Amino acid sequence: MIEFFSQLHPGTIFLLCFSLFLVLFFEFINGFHDTANAVATVIYTQAMQPWHAVLLSGVFNFLGVVSGGLAVAYAIVNLLPVDLLASGDSRHLIAMILAMLAGAIMWNLGTWYFGLPASSSHTLIGAIIGVGMTNALLTHDSFTHGINWGKAADVGMSLLFSPLLGFAIAFFMLTGIKRMLPRANIHQTPYLRSGVRGKKHPPFWTRFLLIISAGGVSFAHGSNDGQKGVGLAMLALICLLPSHFLINVNADRYQLERSLHASQQLAAFANDHAAWIQTAFPLEPVAAGVEHCQVADISSRAAAVTKQISAHPTVGQMNTEDRWQLRRDLLCLNTTAKMLAAGNHTDKAQKTYLSELRRDFTKPVEYAPLWVIIAIASALGLGTMIGWKRVVKTVGEGIGRSHMTYAQGVSAQLTAAISIAGANLFGLPVSTTQILSSAVAGTAVANKSGLRGSTIRNILLAWLFTFPVAMLLSGLLYYAITLFL
């Protein structure tokens, strides 16, 4: 490792360390910013002591990151177009990373300071889109190519509908509990149980469910939000150390052969359906020096992949320029395969076939070393140990007009754990904050206690302003940084 750093320029070492520090700091902030949501109900209902709860949350967040996979990580990364991600323009790529991280950190710290349960995911996505759009302005490119709008639409829909789904699930879950157990102790509030009946903790089975569901929310949070940090760390490594991280150097010959075979199969598919492809996906004119992924280029990119992989038995034998080109071609083939699958001319069997090919394109390029995953998991886990107090009271008392009951806490936490885990299966980034807050609101409505207008208004304003403010901050920072690099 020392020999590895000795070969780098001091400026590169500084930028690398600073970029990775920002990534870890973002995940640390994400930990104490979002963990309050995971432990809010279990602390508020006195099911666990605060430090026991945050320790439990930290451990489960860590485990969630380590076992969560990479689907969400690259769903976030792929919001930026392939043309920018594989451009090889180190100056703009470094500015992009620094700007999006600094902008997201600034807004996260601000909302945490005022105790607002704003979304770290929403913040990060806004920052990424702000950087992409600013880059399009600086390069005189079209906004349609500045962001991967297809992926942005998928992410936007998941962020929009997940809180609505959380509200509905929690509402019906609590309604069902009230009908099945109308007079059970689970409908007591902590203040009634401790102040009137002199019992500090919830009933045994209620307490058990609260603790288990809190662990489930933390695990799901780690597996979803932790992946975003992994994706950001890989962006930094790819941009600053392309010779080592552009392509997975541990990819075996089998994986490379799968990518080669997939590219040839896609080229054959495009050749067999050339007539409607030329009509549906005409070659677009692009500005000088700008490269876009187009369906019309499938054959040439497939030929380039074949040449690269055939000439190099292992990734380690490729030079940096060859790795940039292979990465660019594989990502573009993946993008064009998705475009074909989404077209109206493909039937269900063809869509399935194209989706299977896409997995082979991404194997060598969508990866993360174990040490990156462990570092992100540690930062997120440690972040859960502090900062929870500011948001716990907002979630526990501020959303509903009356104190939260044990049944509300169980329903809200189970809803959050199930919803986030479901999103992970489909590789969709969602907001723990939005889902849990909406679930608490759903239980308040089901309990007929009503919602506290002032708190709901503040939360909605935080959600409303998060996206544009994050876009503006990251865009301005990106422009400023490019002037100095």
Side-chain angles (χ1 to χ4, degrees), residues 132-217:
M133 294 183 70
T134 305
N135 180 72
L137 282 174
L138 295 177
T139 57
H140 307 290
D141 198 5
S142 169
F143 279 147
T144 58
H145 295 117
I147 288 293
N148 184 346
W149 291 110
K151 178 60 70 175
D154 294 340
V155 171
M157 293 297 283
S158 69
L159 288 173
L160 174 64
F161 286 106
S162 56
L164 300 177
L165 184 65
F167 181 97
I169 293 175
F171 175 88
F172 288 112
M173 187 180 294
L174 181 59
T175 300
I177 292 174
K178 290 178 70 175
R179 289 184 178 179
M180 290 187 293
L181 304 169
R183 297 182 181 180
N185 291 335
I186 197 172
H187 299 296
Q188 295 176 0
T189 67
Y191 290 97
L192 174 64
R193 186 168 175 82
S194 61
V196 177
R197 303 191 177 183
K199 296 183 178 181
K200 184 176 181 180
H201 298 298
F204 175 79
W205 285 111
T206 302
R207 188 180 184 187
F208 175 79
L209 284 174
L210 284 164
I211 293 173
I212 291 297
S213 59
V217 173

Side-chain angles (χ1 to χ4, degrees), residues 21 86 110 144 156 190 273 284 327 339 346 467:
F21 167 77
T144 58
H273 302 84
E284 300 178 13
R327 179 181 181 84
M339 293 167 64
T346 49
F467 195 75

